[in-house]
Amino acid sequence: MIRVLACIPHFFRRSAADSGMGHGSNSDQLENRLVQFRYCLKQLTAVLEPVRFLLGSPGRIAHEQVEPVPQGIGGDIIVVTARENNLLAELSADVALRAVFWEGSPRMLGYLCRRIFARSVGQYDFYLFIEDDTAILDPAFFRKVAAFYRAHGEDRILLPNRFEIFGAAHHGWRAYLDQPASRALSAPARPGPDELSLPGYDGDVFFTKSTDGLSGAYIITDGQLRRWMGQPDFHAPDPAAVAAGLDPLELTQTPLGGALPMYRPSRQNLDFLEVHHVPNRLTALKTPAGKLRNLIIPLLRERRTAFQAPTSPPPDATKPEA
């Protein structure tokens, strides 16, 4: 069985005091954040529960038979949060959660996640960091990660692609984020092949080397965690980086600080390993939203032109031909 420890840095500002977290998802209303957080937790627990259920019935509508089916994966989830500024009270009736509280700056929550990983070294196959507004929908997610490391070893990092859903309430498009990273947050270029591949059910799956470590989530192996623990900036950010104006919340997201070459699924198979940024906020900003609309409108017109409605009713399939 694949064993996973997931840590979720979570913050919701309840007080008027300046927390340094007044932008992004922390500017949303409580109801919206709660819906998103519940959704992300539910999706993650469904992926990590070691059992699924098969429903059936002897020719009836009612599902009278319920059979548990093992899925070969299991894990634990820990929410890492500020003591006063969180949504745990609203969640308490919905799901049993393990929580660890942080008394310092909320922008350092990611480093507490690392420390929890370090205390659990040797107990899990994979260690997952994932933001509280980011969801894993693919039940094969960790099996795909395991296949990558079996094929290519642990001296490389595999990152998921992050996407949002852009469009009207009844129609959406996937829009993938994060590439390329800003120059300040780009990891150093490391030696390694520019492209890797895995066999897939409809052909080879390709991965491209990247210097962008931001995905809203990362997954590392136990061996990679042990290596990372020996780096000087594992427990706290590099003071020089903070002095240069880099955000600890973003610094903490690049696995191993970019010490290993990083790979993402290539553009021809972006969805092989992906996570959903549930608020869909970035694609709704003025500039990308306008550019996306300008690209989408001609595509819609082309589809409407190509679709010709029938000018007469279809033949009655119940009548035999003459």
Side-chain angles (χ1 to χ4, degrees), residues 12 28-38 87:
F12 180 78
D28 289 347
Q29 296 295 318
L30 185 149
E31 292 79 9
N32 291 339
R33 283 295 310 282
L34 188 57
V35 167
Q36 294 164 8
F37 191 29
R38 278 178 172 153
L87 297 172

Side-chain angles (χ1 to χ4, degrees), residues 33-321:
R33 283 295 310 282
L34 188 57
V35 167
Q36 294 164 8
F37 191 29
R38 278 178 172 153
Y39 175 82
C40 294
L41 283 170
K42 194 166 188 175
Q43 295 297 330
L44 183 57
T45 56
V47 169
L48 289 180
E49 282 297 328
V51 66
R52 296 162 290 181
F53 296 99
L54 181 64
L55 305 183
S57 61
R60 301 179 184 179
I61 295 176
H63 291 289
E64 296 180 350
Q65 298 176 358
V66 179
E67 180 184 355
V69 181
Q71 67 165 349
I73 188 168
D76 298 303
I77 300 172
I78 299 177
V79 176
V80 179
T81 188
R83 189 170 296 278
E84 301 297 332
N85 292 296
N86 60 65
L87 297 172
L88 297 184
E90 285 80 1
L91 293 171
S92 60
D94 299 330
V95 62
L97 287 175
R98 293 172 60 190
V100 174
F101 295 100
W102 175 251
E103 304 297 344
S105 167
R107 306 205 75 79
M108 299 286 286
L109 287 171
Y111 288 92
L112 181 55
C113 291
R114 293 185 189 179
R115 296 176 189 183
I116 292 170
F117 290 158
R119 292 201 295 267
S120 305
V121 68
Q123 300 178 39
Y124 297 87
D125 300 293
F126 295 113
Y127 300 84
L128 169 70
F129 169 98
I130 187 165
E131 294 185 333
D132 65 354
D133 60 359
T134 300
I136 294 174
L137 309 181
D138 182 1
F141 186 92
F142 293 102
R143 293 197 296 274
K144 292 176 179 178
V145 173
F148 177 90
Y149 286 120
R150 281 197 304 269
H152 298 294
E154 296 182 34
D155 57 349
R156 300 175 174 93
I157 295 288
L158 175 62
L159 288 172
N161 287 320
R162 178 167 58 165
F163 73 90
E164 292 187 349
I165 299 295
F166 175 82
H170 64 284
H171 199 147
W173 288 263
R174 265 178 163 81
Y176 288 85
L177 315 174
D178 301 321
Q179 299 187 59
S182 68
R183 186 172 301 176
L185 291 170
S186 292
R190 300 297 182 186
D194 290 335
E195 188 175 80
L196 299 172
S197 66
L198 280 176
Y201 71 90
D202 61 349
D204 285 348
V205 178
F206 294 96
F207 305 86
T208 304
K209 190 165 65 169
S210 174
T211 57
D212 180 5
L214 300 183
S215 294
Y218 64 74
I219 321 99
I220 58 173
T221 68
D222 191 73
Q224 289 169 342
L225 173 59
R226 293 174 189 272
R227 176 171 177 167
W228 198 4
M229 288 165 57
Q231 294 182 198
D233 61 346
F234 178 79
H235 292 286
D238 181 357
V242 176
L246 296 181
D247 186 347
L249 190 64
E250 294 175 330
L251 284 173
T252 192
Q253 293 188 43
T254 300
L256 278 82
L260 295 176
M262 298 181 295
Y263 290 83
R264 295 171 179 267
S266 301
R267 61 169 53 203
Q268 62 264 48
N269 37 246
L270 288 165
D271 59 355
F272 175 78
L273 194 76
E274 63 181 9
V275 294
H276 180 200
H277 186 232
V278 175
N280 303 313
R281 181 181 298 101
L282 300 179
T283 52
L285 296 175
K286 182 177 180 181
T287 300
K291 291 183 177 180
L292 281 165
R293 279 193 292 269
N294 290 340
L295 289 170
I296 287 168
I297 289 172
L299 296 175
L300 287 176
R301 288 174 178 165
E302 182 179 332
R303 288 183 60 187
R304 287 169 182 161
T305 301
F307 176 77
Q308 297 294 330
T311 56
S312 59
D316 190 343
T318 63
K319 294 182 180 179
E321 294 184 2

